[in-house]
Amino acid sequence: MTAIDTDEIVNICASFTGSGYFVGEQIPIKKLNNALAYFPVSLGEHPVIAFADGTLFGSGKKGFAIGFKGIYWVNSWRTSTNYNYLYWNDFAGVILRRLPYSIELGAGNYFELSSCSFGVEGRLFELLEQLQEYVCEALDIPKPASPAVMAPPPPPPPPPVSTAEWMVAIDGQQQGPYSIPSLEKMIAANQIQPYAAHVWRQGMPEWVPLRQQPELMFLAVIPPGSPATFVTQSSAASFFSDQARVTVSFDLSEEREERSSEREPVDVNRASQEQLLNLPSIGIVGAKRIIQERSSSGGFATVEEIGTLLGLKPHQVERLRPLTVFSPLNDRNPVGRIVDF
């Protein structure tokens, strides 16, 4: 062969499946628009064949794309790369290597794997190997030597111990990095709810609940409003070794939630920012968006509209339903609201 058959590229991409990986018309339009906006120029010259999302919350602003002319990728600020695209002729000649936290596509070219589920699973590297094998065959050039015959690189030095290393996410909002003492103070001041928070630090493949991270489990038993030193890490270890007491802790948490559901419902169309903040899954950003939207559109009619505006998950919408009411407003826009995604 002397030319690349794009139908064969499509067939190879379609033979793979995985988390956060989409082919052809299955690519969500929001992800595709973000990819076209953030990825290298020329990606928009032809349709995108396949896309692997490289973001934690699925925005598509980072990731790996396969187009008709070649491959394209965008990393976070943590990972530098000489190039972030390779046309098929160039891709045919590079040596592919899978590293602990990235894929090397020739010397100095790296795609970050930390938030790309399809890449972490190893499927992206397998896909690239098959694509390169086909491209070399189509262009009638020898495939580069397998990295298996190369001497392995020396292991990287251990990263320096950081005193501010934990990122925290609550309802999709990221904060940090924070040191453990800072997290203790914030939980004691009720600024972070440990049972609703997820945490991540460099080197971890994905976010995990704070109460399940071994180094941070003791933080889940700090009573709000108490000094941060009330619970030490050693005393918390004995707490979590007693399964009965752990069960009691969860029961109390559920009881508090039941009591909160018995309070007077919040009128979303008239509530203050402070009242909106008492609702689950809203947060300061969500409260401000609700107030701004109801000022411009006249208010809301259903809890589903709140879910659409804030991008809430179905179970979060259901938690809000018994806690909210919607008084009719005469100036409500009869045409409806347009939510800009």
Side-chain angles (χ1 to χ4, degrees):
M1 299 184 212
T2 58
I4 295 174
D5 183 353
T6 54
D7 287 340
E8 185 61 27
I9 299 291
V10 172
N11 291 336
I12 294 173
C13 292
S15 68
F16 281 78
T17 60
S19 176
Y21 174 71
F22 310 92
V23 180
E25 295 181 354
Q26 296 178 350
I27 305 175
I29 188 64
K30 179 180 177 181
K31 294 181 187 291
L32 181 59
N33 288 338
N34 282 337
L36 295 176
Y38 284 83
F39 274 56
V41 297
S42 79
L43 178 58
E45 294 178 5
H46 295 286
V48 178
I49 296 174
F51 179 72
D53 197 338
T55 61
L56 183 63
F57 296 108
S59 69
K61 295 179 181 179
K62 300 187 294 292
F64 202 99
I66 298 167
F68 278 22
K69 298 175 68 175
I71 57 177
Y72 312 80
W73 63 93
V74 170
N75 297 316
S76 71
W77 58 269
R78 296 188 297 267
T79 302
S80 60
T81 181
N82 291 341
Y83 293 95
N84 57 356
Y85 67 92
L86 289 171
Y87 294 136
W88 293 128
N89 286 1
D90 300 320
F91 176 64
V94 302
I95 295 177
L96 299 175
R97 289 200 307 159
R98 184 179 177 186
L99 304 177
Y101 306 114
S102 63
I103 293 176
E104 185 180 48
L105 303 103
N109 301 329
Y110 298 95
F111 172 64
E112 175 187 359
L113 295 177
S114 60
S115 298
C116 180
S117 299
F118 188 63
V120 172
E121 294 167 358
R123 302 291 286 161
L124 178 59
F125 188 78
E126 294 175 15
L127 171 59
L128 291 175
E129 285 189 311
Q130 287 197 24
L131 287 172
Q132 188 182 54
E133 184 174 346
Y134 166 71
V135 170
C136 289
E137 180 183 354
L139 298 177
D140 195 22
I141 61 176
K143 189 177 182 297
S146 169
V149 301
M150 302 173 58
V161 177
S162 173
T163 57
E165 56 183 354
W166 291 99
M167 298 293 295
V168 180
I170 300 177
D171 291 335
Q173 302 296 319
Q174 298 185 38
Q175 305 174 38
Y178 298 122
S179 64
I180 291 180
S182 296
L183 290 175
E184 289 185 83
K185 294 177 181 178
M186 296 174 74
I187 291 174
N190 208 22
Q191 296 173 338
I192 293 178
Q193 301 296 326
Y195 285 95
H198 285 63
V199 294
W200 175 89
R201 65 178 175 184
Q202 190 170 4
M204 293 174 57
E206 59 185 9
W207 293 71
V208 299
L210 181 148
R211 65 178 184 271
Q212 294 180 9
Q213 183 63 27
E215 303 98 307
L216 304 179
M217 290 172 66
F218 76 99
L219 295 175
V221 295
I222 297 179
S226 66
T229 56
F230 180 87
V231 179
T232 65
Q233 193 160 359
S234 59
S235 64
S238 61
F239 179 92
F240 281 101
S241 65
D242 186 343
Q243 183 60 41
R245 296 177 67 187
V246 172
T247 303
V248 170
S249 175
F250 278 98
D251 290 343
L252 291 176
S253 177
E254 293 170 0
E255 182 180 344
R256 285 195 296 270
E257 186 171 339
E258 290 175 1
R259 288 201 301 268
S260 68
S261 65
E262 297 172 358
R263 65 194 176 199
E264 190 72 19
V266 173
D267 185 345
V268 175
N269 289 330
R270 302 185 185 278
S272 66
Q273 179 173 298
E274 289 71 22
Q275 290 173 311
L276 292 172
L277 285 173
N278 289 327
L279 294 172
S281 306
I282 298 300
I284 183 65
V285 175
K288 290 182 178 179
R289 289 193 67 185
I290 290 173
I291 293 173
Q292 180 181 10
E293 182 67 18
R294 78 185 184 192
S295 298
S296 62
S297 67
F300 304 88
T302 66
V303 71
E304 282 76 16
E305 293 183 8
I306 300 297
T308 300
L309 176 67
L310 303 182
L312 301 181
K313 297 179 180 178
H315 74 276
Q316 294 175 312
V317 173
E318 291 306 316
R319 286 184 64 195
L320 284 174
R321 191 180 302 280
L323 304 177
T324 55
V325 294
F326 300 84
S327 61
L329 297 180
N330 295 331
D331 56 347
R332 177 174 168 81
N333 184 355
V335 178
R337 298 178 295 107
I338 298 176
V339 179
D340 183 10
F341 287 97

